[in-house]
Structure formats: structure tokens, C-alpha cells
Amino acid sequence: MVDSLFPTIDTTDDVASPESRRKRRRISETSKEAAESSSEAQRINEESSKRWRTNRVQQIYASKLIEALRRVRQRSNDAGKITSVAREIRDTADRVLAASARGTSRWSRSILAARVRACLKKHKKAKSKGTRKPRKDTAAERRRVEKLPAVERKLKILGRLVPGCRKVDVPNLLDEASDYIAALEMQVRAMESLAELLAAAAPPSTTLTRP
Amino acid sequence: MDNELFMNAVASHPSEMTSLSSFTSPAAMLNWDSMETPHPLEEQSIITRNVSKDCFFLEKSTEQSFFGSTLSSLVSPPSDSSFSGGVAGENYVIKELIGNLGNVGDVYGAPANISGSCYATPMLSSPPLDAFSGDSRFAERAARFSCLGSRSFNGRRNGLVAETVSINGELTRVSSTSGIKPPAGESSRKRKAKSKENSPSKASQSPNLSKKVEEKEDSDTKRSRKSEENGEKTKSLDPYKDFIHVRARRGQATDSHSLAERVRREKISERMKLLQDLVPGCNKVTGKALMLDEIINYVQSLQRQVEFLSMKLSSVNTRLDFNMDALMSKDIFPSSNNQQVLQLESSSDILLAGHHSHTLQLNPNDSSNNIMNPMETSESRSFNSQLPTLNHFTDSISQFSTFSEDDLHSIIHMGFAQNRPSNQVPSHMKAEL
């Protein structure tokens, strides 16, 4: 039942299992390597995409996610709004994802550090989170920002999307983005299958009734 | 140049000379900080004088620095009479030379800025030349010696060649490995033994490369990236080398500005290509801006999916009693091995007291990609009806826990969590964390 959950949900992968896809990727990588000398960036990407597709990492993530979600459930009050619980779940899932990254990537470190920072701030009763100094909305500032070439603007946007990568230079930003994308894909797959599982196991009165 | 004739005494072929030079290049690449600059020029003049001599004149002069002694050992001062007309003793001479060079290799430490090398050759020209810090004299010397190196040698020293080649073979390997590891993604055009014409120009340019990279910031709009890129360049290299060595391709500008710029562009384009593989639907898109658009859209969509799924999970959580034990019996991810599945099945048989097993048995057999079909069959109904009853089994699980623990421990790796041996489970999970 569950085994086959992933391939269909998986929007990015084709039906092939991760192993064959990895093999194909390896073959394509080696052919690329034959063409050009093996580059560090290729290795990074091969590493990152392979890293987030191995069974082991997926199983680790799944098990950690389950545990974390169980704890969240215990912590959250049922009276709370769905949205707050959802946000908590999402943050938990992100943290688990970052933990699975084992600190090798910048975004993972930033995600984990943000939590620590929040705890510290809570302890110190400092100002609330998100007091990032907003850019002055002067017309001159805006003109200057918009005058930047389009690519640069987009790179800035990308830097804002990937956590902890606002001030990272371009090649590193692209590296981080590729790793982040691979990790997000795995996260989406895991959560989808988990949701399916839970939905399927929901009280039978609400689901899957047969005439 | 008369210098060329000097090398006639050494070997016969240019290739062999390069091998010899590569043999010497590790020696050259060694730390010669101690070497004073003035005397190589003197040596050079000595070399020119002794060009006509047809063999090496090894002289162990102790008054000079070791390098100087080696150098002078190659070139006999005209007053040297110990090896005069040493045709008879040429083998001995050659062996001494090799021994000397080997000694040089022993004395000096790791390669560093090459302040001078009498054996500057095409092979040498590539990495060490780029590394030294703007010694103009060295450039001049290197130019001359590269002329030396490029000339073919007479075939008179075949014996020498035979002896040196074996040594050179090892040392070439040493030199190539101890040489700079090419920085990421640079093509093979870099650090190949190029023609000697490049070496003098390179010698003058590349020492300033690092400085010019910084100067370039003024001319470049992306200033912050420049400095970071400079830092990037340095950090990817071995500690004794500060520079990324780039060669200008044929027909391209050899300006150090444009070189560094090209390196940077290539790095970025490489990574964009990798991202293209990762993001679906990017194959048709060309151009950085559109690619970045796609990437941004994709990341945003993934994040939105995560949010949506978390909302879904939260709603499911509140509904379900959250007894996930049986749910997690099957690994979330589909690529579990059959053995694990069977193991799980056996344990689940135990846990579910057997009569639930047929529902779970369905799953390992179902290797197809149709998820919900098994669920939507009649089995699902039974499964769902049985699942709530699983709660009642939690008490009975303890009975089974004794003999199912082994299975459980193996299953835990697949994310299966048990309530009863829960004290063990979290610890195991934490171990992973």
C-alpha cells in the first residue's frame, strides 16, 4: 500500500525507482565528466541530488519526522487554530530536514540556528522576532534597486527564498539552492506519503466507504 | 641562444628533456626562499660560457647556497679542471648530477614561490611560474631556461636519458600530484605545459593576478562578488599556492581581468546547468534570467506544497488517534527492500495476531505504482476496520514484545515505532539524531 505511494506523488521523478535514477544520473554524470574534466560543482550536485535520494536518508527523515510530529501533537492543544498547528508542523518538518542535512549546508545551519536564536530571545525577553531593519522605502532607493540588472534582482530573490542565504555570493548561492531544492523534494515526498497514510487510516466512517 | 647548447649535454629528446625538467621541476618547486637572486644571473653567464662544453660539470662548491652549488655543479666555471674533458667520466658526472638534484629535492621543503630555477622548463613553467610573486628577474631567467628546455638535445646521452627517465617518471608523478589541484571546473587547458612564449607573459601577469582581481573590483559592478570570488579562489587551493592558475584559451584575451572574469562566469554557468537538471522543465529555457525565474518559481511551489501538506497533516493529526504504529509499519518511502518488508510482515503477523496479516501481505506483493487501488479494494475496508481494533492490541503487544523485539529493532530502522518498547525507540531515534 504505502510502498507505491511515492512514485505517483512524486512530481519530479519519473516512475523509475531512485536506484535506477541514480544510476542514470551517474551514467550521465560520467559521460559529462568525460566531456569536461570532472568539476567540483558537478560533484557537488551529484552529491546533493544523490544525497537526498538515498534510501537511508529518506528513512532517517521519515522516522525523525514521525517522532517530531508525535511530539508536536502532544504539545499542541487541540483548541488551537489549524493554522498555528500547521505552522508548527511545518517548522518541525523543516527542522527535521535541516537535521538530516547534518550541517553540511548553509540553509540547514540557518534553520537550526534560527530556532536557537528564537529560544534565546525568548529567554532574554528581547524584542520580537523579525525586527529586521526594513529598507527605507525611498524613491531613490527603489530606483537604485530596480536599476540592477534583472539577473541580479532574481538572484536576490532566490537568496531570500533559501533560508540563510541572503548575503551569499552567486556560485555558493546556486550550490545552496540546488541542495535546498533536492531536500525540499524529499520533504514533500515524505510528507505527502505520510499524509496519505494517515488519511487512509483515518476513521473509516469518513473515508473509503463502499456502497 | 647559447644556453641551448648547454642542455645538449643532458638528453636527446625534448620530451626527455621535459621529463628531466619535470624531474627538476619538483626541485624547482621546492622552497627556495633562501636563494638569493643575484647569483643565478651569474650562473646564467657561466652557463653561456660553458655552452660549448658537452657534458655536465659537477662541482661541489660549498661556499654558495645549496641551490647555487647545484647550479654551479651543472655549469663548470671555466677554471674548473676536475672534470675537464670529461667524456670519459660523463657517466659519473651524470650520476652525480642526478644525485645532486635528488639532494636538492631532499633539502627543500614543500613547493612554494619559486624564486628561481635553473631548470625552468616548459613543464616547470606552468604551475610554479604562476606562483611566484612577481620576480621580474625570474621571468627573464625562466624565459631563457625555457628556451633551454625546448631545444632538443643530442642523442649523445642516451645512458643519461635511460637513467633519468626512470627517476623522472616518478618525479613527474610527484610533481603532477604535488602540483596544484585544479580548481573546480577548470578545463584541462589550465596548467598544461604550454609553449614557452606564454610563460614569460604569464610570469609577469599571473603574479599580479591576485592583486588585479582585487583591483578589478573597481571596474566591476559586482564588487562584493569579486572579493568573494577572490577569496573563493584562494581557499580552494593548497596552502602554499595562492592563485588559481588559468590559461588563456587560444584566440581569447589574455588580460588577467578577463581571465578571472571568465573563470567566474564558467563557475556560475556550471552551477546553473546543474540546477537545470534539478528543476523540471528547465531544459527549454535558455538564459540566466529565465532560468532563475523557473528556479524561483519551483522553490516557491515546493515551499507552498510543504505548507499545504503541513496543514493537511495537522488536520489529520487532530482527527486520528495517532496510533501510527501500524501505519508506519510500512516504510513511507517505497524503495524498501523485500527482506525488510518480509521481516516486517512477520513481525506484524505477530503483532496483529495473524489475522490482519493478509492485509499487510498485500503490500509487498503490490509493487506497482498504483497507490490507492489496493486501498480501494475490499481489503482496505477490512484494513480500516481492523486498524482501530489495533488500539486494543496495544495491551497485548507487550506480550509479543518479548519475542518480537528483535524484529522490531530491525524494523525501527524503517521507521516503525512501537508504543510498548517506547523507551527503547526514542533512544534509538535520538541516536540517529
Side-chain angles (χ1 to χ4, degrees), chain A residues 152-168:
Chain A
E152 307 240 349
R153 263 182 291 144
K154 300 192 166 92
L155 284 170
K156 267 206 193 339
I157 295 175
L158 186 61
R160 280 206 297 267
L161 279 180
V162 182
C165 286
R166 280 170 193 261
K167 292 195 181 168
V168 175

Side-chain angles (χ1 to χ4, degrees), chain B residues 109-126:
Chain B
N113 293 339
I114 294 96
S115 50
S117 161
C118 59
Y119 304 110
T121 57
M123 183 66 176
L124 178 62
S125 66
S126 45

Side-chain angles (χ1 to χ4, degrees), chain A residues 105-124:
Chain A
S105 52
R106 199 186 180 87
W107 58 265
S108 62
R109 292 193 289 265
S110 157
I111 289 179
L112 295 172
R115 177 89 190 245
V116 171
R117 249 181 275 134
C119 283
L120 283 178
K121 278 186 184 166
K122 229 191 297 177
H123 272 276
K124 294 184 183 173

Side-chain angles (χ1 to χ4, degrees), chain A residues 1 3 15 55 170 193 210, chain B residues 225 332 334-335 363 369 376:
Chain A
M1 160 192 75
D3 296 349
V15 192
N55 283 352
V170 181
S193 53
R210 281 273 178 263
Chain B
R225 293 207 188 97
I332 292 182
S335 45
N363 304 323
N369 297 333
E376 285 156 6

Side-chain angles (χ1 to χ4, degrees), chain A residues 62-93:
Chain A
S63 51
K64 284 187 190 169
L65 185 61
I66 290 162
E67 270 301 305
L69 288 180
R70 190 177 291 150
R71 274 188 237 122
V72 166
R73 178 184 64 90
Q74 286 163 1
R75 252 195 312 235
S76 74
N77 46 347
D78 282 3
K81 289 191 184 149
I82 289 270
T83 47
S84 64
V85 178
R87 188 173 307 131
E88 222 179 301
I89 288 185
R90 191 199 55 184
D91 292 338
T92 311

Side-chain angles (χ1 to χ4, degrees), chain B residues 95-115:
Chain B
K95 280 182 186 132
E96 283 221 45
L97 167 68
I98 294 168
N100 247 14
L101 292 176
N103 292 343
V104 170
D106 294 338
V107 164
Y108 293 101
N113 293 339
I114 294 96
S115 50

Side-chain angles (χ1 to χ4, degrees), chain B residues 35 301 324 334 377:
Chain B
M35 209 196 82
S301 78
M324 293 202 292
T377 57

